[in-house]
């Protein structure tokens, strides 16, 4: 009779099988028995096994990241990306009715075309960096500087700066009786923090007009959070990790999806950054940091609220109940402490401007709009509006069931789940626009770039994956 058990592994004992040990516990015992500490980011705490999960050790990513890096370094791929970006930017002067977007397209389109030319003509080792620098200057820095000097921006920047002024003068962040669309503040109280530099610096000088612009602080928060997430998620290597995040961050920032939002508004950029950082902190068992970052996200916009249960389930899945409960308690307590004053003093204004206005349920409709399915349905009247909300609710309930049935096991998986829920909400919401999709796109891309793997499965800790066993011989 031939044995079917793999030498070197005890029979798995999972939570839902009535057995006693899991592969995670086996690895933890082997790790703690050695003289060294476990690799950073891999906890020795056991985690419960779910139905349908493989009981064998995690395997390396089957998709070789080196192949993807080689594909991205091809001149034809780089040129194609630059041409697509140039065509995207060149379309705005033709189709957009917003002056700021048209000016961005006039400046960014030649910059993208020049970046593509550099990809073809410069030596390979300099081409990517030079093209990224040209695209970053032409699509972000130059148009942002020009618009900031002249005080031109989308209405959300003015709303944030006005809310900071109201916070300093009255203690509230919402106008009690909005009359026009720009009187509505669809953000939670913490968003007013990005308008404080304008109140402190004023706009009397050119430096003050640029440094006090809320878009600058939106972008800085975005960059800091993405760099911190990169540092947490990067794979450990002997002698350090030589991969710098500057080139990927420059390419991502210079892409039309981020560059346009940063130049004309940028109000969603901090939310993107803090969500990525929260998932990275949760994977690395930084419970206090994850709770504080999640609290910041949940007090910026209510669309970030799904990030809290996703991160908590990731912590529970990897490290147990206590770290998950600690993060949930910190995130909830800080969020309530920040929003409670507005709830007590401006409950009606908060409900009207933060909840009903973005959903298109007020007399004055939000100007946000794109030919997305939810917006198209809402255009058919009250019945279409109701159908849009119903479809969004059903889809989000489905994502929640998926989240509970298959909790994430890595920051990539958690970011994917959060991105799926947000993408569905933005697509089916009665008032949505394409710019909102930057959040799920970055959630899918950036953790993978940082972790240098495509799979959402948790990687095996270095040195803990046993050698491939030899086939068992027949007994007797």
């Amino acid at each position: 009779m031939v044995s079917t058990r793999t030498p070197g592994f005890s029979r798995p004992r999972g939570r839902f099988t009535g057995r006693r040990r899991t592969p995670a516990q086996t690895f933890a015992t082997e790790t703690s028995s050695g003289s060294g500490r476990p690799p950073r980011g891999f906890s020795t705490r056991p985690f419960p096994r779910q139905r349908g999960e493989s009981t064998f050790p995690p395997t390396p990513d089957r998709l070789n990241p080196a192949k993807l890096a080689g594909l991205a370094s091809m001149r034809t791929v780089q040129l194609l990306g630059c041409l697509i970006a140039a065509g995207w930017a060149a379309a705005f002067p033709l189709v957009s009715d917003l002056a700021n977007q048209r000016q961005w397209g006039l400046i960014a389109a030649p910059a993208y075309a020049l970046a593509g030319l550099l990809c073809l003509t410069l030596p390979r080792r300099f081409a990517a960096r030079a093209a990224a620098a040209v695209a970053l200057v032409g699509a972000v820095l130059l148009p942002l500087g020009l618009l900031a000097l002249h005080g031109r921006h989308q209405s959300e920047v003015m709303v944030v700066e006005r809310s900071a002024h109201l916070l300093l003068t009255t203690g509230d962040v919402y106008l009690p009786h909005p009359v026009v669309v720009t009187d509505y503040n669809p953000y939670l109280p913490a968003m007013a923090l990005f308008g404080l530099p304008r109140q402190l610096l004023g706009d009397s000088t050119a430096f003050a007009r640029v440094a006090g612009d809320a878009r600058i602080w939106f972008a800085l928060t975005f960059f800091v959070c993405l760099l911190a997430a990169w540092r947490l998620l990067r794979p450990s290597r002997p002698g350090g990790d030589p991969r710098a995040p500057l080139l990927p961050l420059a390419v991502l920032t210079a892409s039309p999806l981020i560059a346009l939002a940063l130049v004309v508004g940028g109000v969603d950029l901090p939310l993107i950054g803090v969500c990525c950082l929260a998932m990275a902190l949760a994977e690395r068992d930084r419970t206090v940091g994850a709770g504080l970052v999640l609290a910041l996200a949940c007090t910026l916009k209510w669309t970030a609220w799904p990030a809290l249960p996703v991160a908590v389930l990731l912590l529970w899945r990897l490290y147990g109940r206590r770290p998950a409960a600690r993060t949930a308690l910190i995130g909830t307590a800080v969020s309530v402490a920040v929003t409670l004053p507005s709830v007590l003093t401006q409950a009606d204004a908060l409900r009207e401007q933060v909840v009903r206005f973005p959903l298109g349920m007020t007399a004055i409709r939000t100007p946000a709009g794109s030919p997305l399915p939810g917006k198209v349905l809402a255009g058919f009247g009250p019945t279409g509006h109701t159908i849009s909300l119903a479809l969004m609710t059903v889809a989000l309930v489905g994502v929640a069931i998926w989240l509970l049935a298959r909790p994430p096991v890595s920051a990539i998986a958690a970011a994917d789940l959060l991105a799926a829920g947000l993408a569905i909400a933005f697509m089916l919401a009665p008032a949505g626009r394409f710019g909102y999709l930057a959040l799920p796109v970055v959630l899918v891309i950036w953790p993978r770039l940082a972790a240098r793997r495509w799979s959402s499965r948790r990687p095996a800790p270095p040195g803990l994956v046993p050698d491939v066993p030899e086939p068992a011989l027949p007994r007797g």
Side-chain angles (χ1 to χ4, degrees):
M1 182 177 180
V2 180
S3 173
T4 59
R5 294 183 58 184
T6 305
F9 293 96
S10 61
R11 186 178 296 276
R13 308 288 181 181
R15 176 179 177 181
F16 296 102
T17 59
R19 299 165 183 168
R20 297 181 181 175
R21 299 181 64 188
T22 63
Q25 291 173 326
T26 304
F27 286 151
T29 304
E30 295 174 358
T31 306
S32 59
S33 62
S35 58
R37 299 180 61 185
R40 184 178 182 181
F42 293 93
S43 173
T44 59
R45 303 174 188 170
F47 54 84
R49 186 174 66 89
Q50 304 295 315
R51 291 186 180 94
E53 177 190 351
S54 175
T55 58
F56 289 95
T59 56
D61 194 356
R62 295 181 180 179
L63 185 59
N64 188 2
K67 294 181 180 179
L68 298 178
L71 182 64
S73 63
M74 296 177 59
R75 292 182 183 270
T76 54
V77 174
Q78 295 173 356
L79 176 61
L80 180 62
C82 292
L83 292 179
I84 293 175
W88 182 278
F92 277 89
L94 302 177
V95 301
S96 178
D97 56 351
L98 300 177
N100 294 335
Q101 292 185 356
R102 292 197 300 268
Q103 182 170 352
W104 173 82
L106 290 173
I107 300 175
Y112 289 135
L114 179 58
L117 181 62
L118 294 178
C119 291
L120 288 179
T121 57
L122 291 181
R124 189 179 300 273
R125 57 179 179 175
F126 301 120
R129 293 180 177 85
V134 169
L136 188 63
V137 172
V140 177
L141 297 181
L142 183 57
L144 176 60
L146 291 175
L147 292 179
L149 282 174
H150 293 87
R152 295 172 53 186
H153 44 64
Q154 288 187 174
S155 59
E156 55 259 34
V157 178
M158 183 269 292
V159 169
V160 171
E161 294 178 354
R162 185 192 61 210
S163 66
H165 175 71
L166 291 174
L167 179 64
L168 294 177
T169 56
T170 67
D172 298 324
V173 296
Y174 303 103
L175 291 174
H177 304 291
V179 178
V180 295
V181 66
T182 54
D183 290 343
Y184 284 83
N185 178 11
Y187 313 116
L188 290 170
M191 189 67 77
L193 297 176
F194 294 97
L196 291 178
R198 170 65 67 211
Q199 308 307 314
L200 298 176
L201 298 176
D203 56 359
S204 58
T205 63
F207 172 79
R209 285 194 296 271
V210 175
D213 198 302
R215 287 171 292 185
I216 302 298
W217 302 97
F218 292 151
L220 288 178
T221 305
F222 174 74
F223 296 147
V224 170
C225 290
L226 289 191
L227 290 174
W230 180 285
R231 183 176 179 84
L232 288 168
L233 294 177
R234 64 180 181 177
S236 58
R237 293 181 177 182
D241 188 354
R243 296 183 302 113
L246 297 181
L247 181 58
L249 184 59
V251 173
L252 179 66
T253 306
S255 65
L257 190 64
I258 300 298
L260 176 61
L262 194 156
V263 169
V264 300
V267 72
D268 291 320
L269 295 182
L271 197 64
I272 297 173
V274 295
C275 287
C276 290
L277 180 57
M279 300 307 143
L281 288 169
E283 183 180 290
R284 291 299 184 253
D285 197 17
R286 309 289 180 84
T287 54
V288 177
L292 294 176
V293 171
L294 287 168
L296 175 60
C298 293
T299 53
L300 291 176
K301 293 184 71 174
W302 63 269
T303 52
W305 288 355
L308 181 60
V310 170
V312 168
L313 282 175
L314 174 61
L315 280 164
W316 173 81
R317 182 64 179 83
L318 295 181
Y319 304 111
R321 297 174 182 171
R322 289 186 178 180
R326 189 182 303 118
T327 296
L329 180 61
I330 294 174
T332 304
V334 176
S335 300
V336 169
V338 173
T339 57
L340 187 60
S342 297
V343 173
L344 295 177
T345 59
Q346 291 186 296
D348 294 338
L350 182 67
R351 181 178 62 255
E352 186 77 6
Q353 300 183 37
V354 178
V355 179
R356 291 173 55 85
F357 177 68
L359 293 178
M361 301 173 65
T362 56
I364 300 176
R365 298 301 177 90
T366 172
S370 293
L372 297 175
K375 181 66 174 179
V376 173
L377 286 174
F380 290 102
T383 303
H385 188 275
T386 303
I387 294 174
S388 173
L389 291 177
L391 289 176
M392 183 178 67
T393 303
V394 171
L396 292 181
V397 169
V399 174
I401 295 174
W402 176 26
L403 175 64
L404 293 174
R406 300 182 64 88
V409 295
S410 66
I412 295 177
D416 287 349
L417 281 168
L418 182 59
L422 292 177
I424 291 173
F426 296 152
M427 295 285 288
L428 296 179
R433 56 188 179 191
F434 286 119
Y436 295 160
L437 298 178
L439 176 54
V441 168
V442 177
L443 281 172
V444 171
I445 293 176
W446 189 253
R448 286 177 165 83
L449 291 177
R452 198 175 171 81
R453 69 179 189 273
W454 187 257
S455 174
S456 60
R457 295 173 298 177
R458 186 165 173 83
L464 295 186
V465 178
D467 297 334
V468 178
E470 297 180 357
L473 298 177
R475 296 181 180 179

